[in-house]
Amino acid sequence: MTTPLLSAREIDVTFGTTRPGDMPWTAPRKLRAVSGVSFDLAAGKTLGVVGESGCGKSTLARALIRMVPASGQVLWQGDTDLLSLSPAAMQRYRSEIQMIFQDPLASLNPRMTLGEIIAEPLRTHRRDLSRADIRDRVRRMMDRVGLLPQMINRYPHEFSGGQCQRIGIARALIVEPRLLICDEPVSALDVSIQAQVIELLQELQRDLNLAILFIAHDLSVVRHISDEVMVLYLGRVMEAAPAERLYAAPRHPYTQALLSAVPVPDPAVERDKRIIPLTGDLPSPMAPPSGCVFRTRCPRAEAACAAEVPAPGPGPHRCACLFPGTITADEVA
Amino acid sequence: MVHDTQRMQSLAERMAEDEVAGRSLWADARRRFFSNKAAVIGLALLAFVAAFALFGGQFAQWSNEELDYNVMGVVAQEGGPSLANGHYFGVDELGRDLFARTVQGTQVSLLVGLVGALVAVVVGTIYGATAGYVGGRVDAAMMRAVDVLMAIPYMFVLILILVMYGRSMIALFVGLGLISWLEMSRIVRGQTLSLKNREFIEAARATGVSGVTIIRRHIVPNLLGVIAVYATLLVPLMILTESFISFLGLGVQEPLTSLGALISQGASTMAYGTIWQLAFPLLFFCLTLFGFFFVGDGLRDALDPKDR
């Protein structure tokens, strides 16, 4: 097996939170946003990360590029640990890893023209290029992502959401990165525009041999684009498997509940579908349940679940559950 | 039909060739500003006052230092505004030409206002943006320092500086500069805090843009609207402060003068029937203040259409 482009090992992210009214010397309360997440991502492949709001998807992405302090290891091509590099040494890898964001318009500076926005990573990482060179590359990249190059002097507010996301993609790809982190890139777009953006991403991935870390809460979108899918809950990996396997035979109760909630655009199927309802709310990440974090809402939880933290285990299909397997109709009732 | 096809083709060609110039938010704001009557009137007033300060001296028949011995001693009877003897605005109590004096006073007042506002813009913006962007303890320490400085009564400090270092222009600039940036730095810091968490800043950070460049390239341009509005409203405040100081007799020293000093002199001789000595400086003083306040209001409406 070849070395993966990026391997994350036991990523932990802990925030100290203070409440209003706390004294300056009060010890901050710990919030563990991500705990013990590991994965491998090979060049040209896509890893989908799914989970509810607040389960640590975005925090995980930000931890990889050191936007939030994290512990663990993020190995680049198997040898360089990004988390232990000095900020100056990290700078080289910032052009290798680029990111696109959820809100297309908010991620573009309203006072800059398209040309300036897309050129920013080039101006940061390729100081050897002349102005004319940069402009030329920007125009080619705009053409590549489906924007008319003569729009180069326009401002972001003159574009639609889908076009703005294309601008974001152009900005990310202008420095020829090898890993693209997409933080819910299509959540804010219409369904028809979503499809266009996803297709563009897939096309660019094929042409540039990009690795993509694709974060979303829409399972059908993730299924469409991912080679492998990882399900997070309260900052922990619940299940991770190749996409087809996860969708065809989910083993973790949480994954099954999520999948059962995906609407099917066929009334006949939809009527007969068995939904696994999850009761209660997401527990507070300040005080996660003991043992398996999902046990408070799991239809199959037993006493053992409170005592032991289930390990995801090795292998291509990882599942952090003591009692994996398909949930039957009796259990739901 | 043929005609139409040709037209469409030429249109298509033109669209493919031209780089479309985008309409920036600034261009939008400019359009809104110029459709605001009060703001345009304010701008015209300011243009007039500025032209008066810059070129008025060329029309003066007398210099601001010459004494006109013909009217000395009979200022109340002979010293009024007159085209015949060249004293368009009359003379002051010593027989100096009030037109030349008003030009000089307007120059000094505008200069004081602009320098005070400039210090506020430069120092306040850098200080506030740094505190807001860096955040944490640095922010807390920097802003507490501002709080402490603001708690000191500024008029007292200003008077002390003028008394200790002499009543020079430099001392006045230093004194006004010291106090003017405090409020500005607070405003800028607040705006920076709300900008800091926007996604485009995060995008810049993720791609490895340095902090200084982020402040310069992303934060400050997005603050300029607020800064412009506040600076325009700060200029008249500086002029007012200077005038108050001059009125107390502590401002710029003779032979220099300012509108405040002229008004003070005019007010003191009002009882002797020389009302023009008060009226002309006061007129220019009011025009300047009106102009700045109207322009400031217009800028605020133009740059922040959401508030309306």
Side-chain angles (χ1 to χ4, degrees):
Chain A
M1 200 180 131
T2 52
T3 323
L5 183 67
L6 187 86
S7 19
R9 292 285 169 267
E10 297 291 322
I11 303 287
D12 269 309
V13 182
T14 309
F15 293 118
T17 59
T18 45
R19 278 175 302 180
D22 273 359
M23 290 297 158
W25 53 86
T26 313
R29 302 206 302 161
K30 295 267 186 277
L31 188 159
R32 219 166 163 197
V34 174
S35 54
V37 173
S38 305
F39 63 85
D40 287 331
L41 181 53
K45 297 287 181 197
T46 303
L47 172 67
V49 180
V50 293
E52 293 171 65
S53 315
C55 72
K57 308 184 292 277
S58 299
T59 307
L60 174 64
R62 279 158 181 72
L64 297 178
I65 51 172
R66 302 195 20 189
M67 299 281 284
V68 292
S71 62
Q73 273 189 319
V74 177
L75 295 175
W76 182 256
Q77 295 184 313
D79 48 15
T80 318
D81 181 12
L82 298 184
L83 294 187
S84 61
L85 289 177
S86 70
M90 179 68 196
Q91 188 71 2
R92 205 173 72 93
Y93 296 92
R94 292 206 181 269
S95 72
E96 304 267 25
I97 306 174
Q98 286 284 315
M99 190 158 173
I100 59 180
F101 295 85
Q102 176 172 9
D103 186 337
L105 189 56
S107 64
L108 308 174
N109 185 342
R111 304 276 174 192
M112 283 162 87
T113 64
L114 230 60
E116 292 168 330
I117 291 171
I118 299 176
E120 177 157 60
L122 270 187
R123 285 168 67 188
T124 309
H125 292 285
R126 299 290 308 275
R127 287 165 189 268
D128 51 316
L129 292 176
S130 71
R131 275 175 172 277
D133 250 356
I134 287 181
R135 206 165 172 84
D136 190 47
R137 283 178 188 229
V138 168
R139 289 167 142 276
R140 267 185 287 153
M141 182 48 77
M142 286 174 72
D143 191 41
R144 189 82 190 68
V145 299
L147 292 163
L148 289 173
Q150 63 260 38
M151 300 293 179
I152 193 164
N153 289 328
R154 293 226 171 192
Y155 290 85
H157 64 102
E158 298 175 286
F159 292 91
S160 69
Q163 284 175 313
C164 283
Q165 199 53 284
R166 284 170 196 268
I167 300 168
I169 294 172
R171 169 177 60 188
L173 295 184
I174 192 108
V175 279
E176 294 158 8
R178 282 193 279 177
L179 171 62
L180 186 62
I181 297 176
C182 307
D183 187 3
E184 307 213 16
V186 296
S187 307
L189 304 175
D190 288 346
V191 176
S192 58
I193 310 291
Q194 285 189 2
Q196 290 174 14
V197 170
I198 299 252
E199 259 163 48
L200 174 66
L201 281 175
Q202 287 184 313
E203 188 191 313
L204 292 165
Q205 177 174 38
R206 270 197 306 276
D207 294 353
L208 306 171
N209 198 29
L210 266 180
I212 294 184
L213 184 75
F214 193 93
I215 296 171
H217 55 243
D218 184 336
L219 285 160
S220 41
V221 170
V222 171
R223 175 182 207 165
H224 187 68
I225 194 170
S226 305
D227 297 296
E228 192 167 339
V229 177
M230 185 161 78
V231 181
L232 293 187
Y233 182 81
L234 273 186
R236 290 171 201 266
V237 179
M238 292 290 110
E239 188 165 8
E244 284 111 69
R245 223 159 122 180
L246 186 107
Y247 281 85
R251 296 175 62 202
H252 197 285
Y254 181 59
T255 317
Q256 293 172 42
L258 278 184
L259 286 176
S260 79
V262 175
V264 184
D266 180 348
V269 178
E270 183 72 21
R271 209 174 302 123
D272 300 335
K273 203 177 67 173
R274 193 165 50 83
I275 292 182
I276 304 168
L278 290 184
T279 49
D281 289 327
L282 200 64
S284 162
M286 299 282 227
S290 65
C292 171
V293 285
F294 183 57
R295 70 179 165 82
T296 52
R297 301 168 75 190
C298 182
R300 188 181 281 167
E302 289 178 25
C305 295
E308 194 183 336
V309 180
H317 194 153
R318 294 181 287 156
C319 175
C321 183
L322 295 175
F323 310 102
T326 312
I327 290 185
T328 60
D330 310 343
E331 283 175 302
V332 175
Chain B
M1 262 329 266
V2 177
H3 182 72
D4 265 359
T5 325
Q6 270 177 351
R7 248 214 298 202
M8 290 310 286
Q9 231 162 24
S10 77
L11 181 71
E13 273 165 24
R14 215 156 3 110
M15 275 186 66
E17 278 165 16
D18 294 355
E19 278 188 3
V20 190
R23 197 155 80 189
S24 67
L25 296 180
W26 295 116
D28 272 351
R30 200 180 314 130
R31 192 176 44 79
R32 277 195 296 270
F33 181 84
F34 281 109
S35 62
N36 179 344
K37 280 206 191 74
V40 174
I41 292 173
L43 197 62
L45 281 180
L46 281 189
F48 170 70
V49 171
F52 177 78
L54 288 176
F55 308 116
Q58 317 214 337
F59 299 101
Q61 304 283 332
W62 300 78
S63 92
N64 55 347
E65 288 171 352
E66 267 175 286
L67 302 180
D68 185 354
Y69 295 104
N70 294 324
V71 296
M72 249 174 121
V74 281
V75 171
Q77 294 80 37
E78 305 274 326
S82 145
L83 286 176
N85 61 9
H87 297 300
Y88 307 133
F89 289 0
V91 295
D92 70 2
E93 53 181 346
L94 294 177
R96 286 176 296 189
D97 184 34
L98 195 61
F99 182 82
R101 298 272 288 163
T102 310
V103 169
Q104 190 193 18
T106 312
Q107 282 173 354
V108 170
S109 283
L110 281 182
L111 189 66
V112 166
L114 292 176
V115 168
L118 189 73
V119 172
V121 166
V122 175
V123 179
T125 304
I126 295 174
Y127 193 90
T130 309
Y133 183 74
V134 175
R137 293 209 176 135
V138 177
D139 177 35
M142 286 173 86
M143 293 327 283
R144 287 306 81 72
V146 169
D147 289 348
V148 168
L149 287 176
M150 279 193 114
I152 302 171
Y154 74 92
M155 199 52 88
F156 182 69
V157 175
L158 199 52
I159 291 172
L160 267 184
I161 289 176
L162 288 170
V163 169
M164 280 166 65
Y165 298 101
R167 289 158 49 194
S168 68
M169 289 284 271
I170 302 293
L172 190 63
F173 287 155
V174 170
L176 287 175
L178 274 179
I179 53 168
S180 65
W181 63 274
L182 297 171
E183 191 72 35
M184 180 68 107
S185 71
R186 277 191 174 175
I187 293 173
V188 167
R189 171 194 172 253
Q191 294 285 320
T192 307
L193 282 182
S194 73
L195 274 177
K196 187 168 91 170
N197 294 321
R198 298 271 294 277
E199 278 187 334
F200 67 86
I201 304 284
E202 203 184 341
R205 284 209 302 139
T207 203
V209 182
S210 69
V212 176
T213 312
I214 289 180
I215 292 182
R216 185 167 50 77
R217 197 185 286 164
H218 294 285
I219 291 187
V220 171
N222 281 289
L223 290 174
L224 277 185
V226 184
I227 294 173
V229 171
Y230 189 70
T232 338
L233 297 174
L234 197 63
V235 175
L237 286 183
M238 290 293 120
I239 295 180
L240 274 172
T241 309
E242 188 278 329
S243 299
F244 182 65
I245 292 285
S246 294
F247 199 86
L248 293 179
L250 277 169
V252 292
Q253 210 164 8
E254 296 281 358
L256 278 177
T257 191
S258 73
L259 288 178
L262 287 174
I263 292 169
S264 164
Q265 285 163 14
S268 65
T269 58
M270 199 166 61
Y272 310 132
T274 56
I275 191 71
W276 64 84
Q277 290 179 2
L278 176 63
F280 285 105
L282 198 57
L283 173 73
F284 278 90
F285 186 69
C286 292
L287 287 183
T288 313
L289 295 192
F290 271 132
F292 274 111
F293 280 129
F294 280 144
V295 168
D297 274 354
L299 276 179
R300 191 179 56 210
D301 294 344
L303 291 167
D304 214 355
K306 270 173 285 178
D307 283 356
R308 306 246 294 170

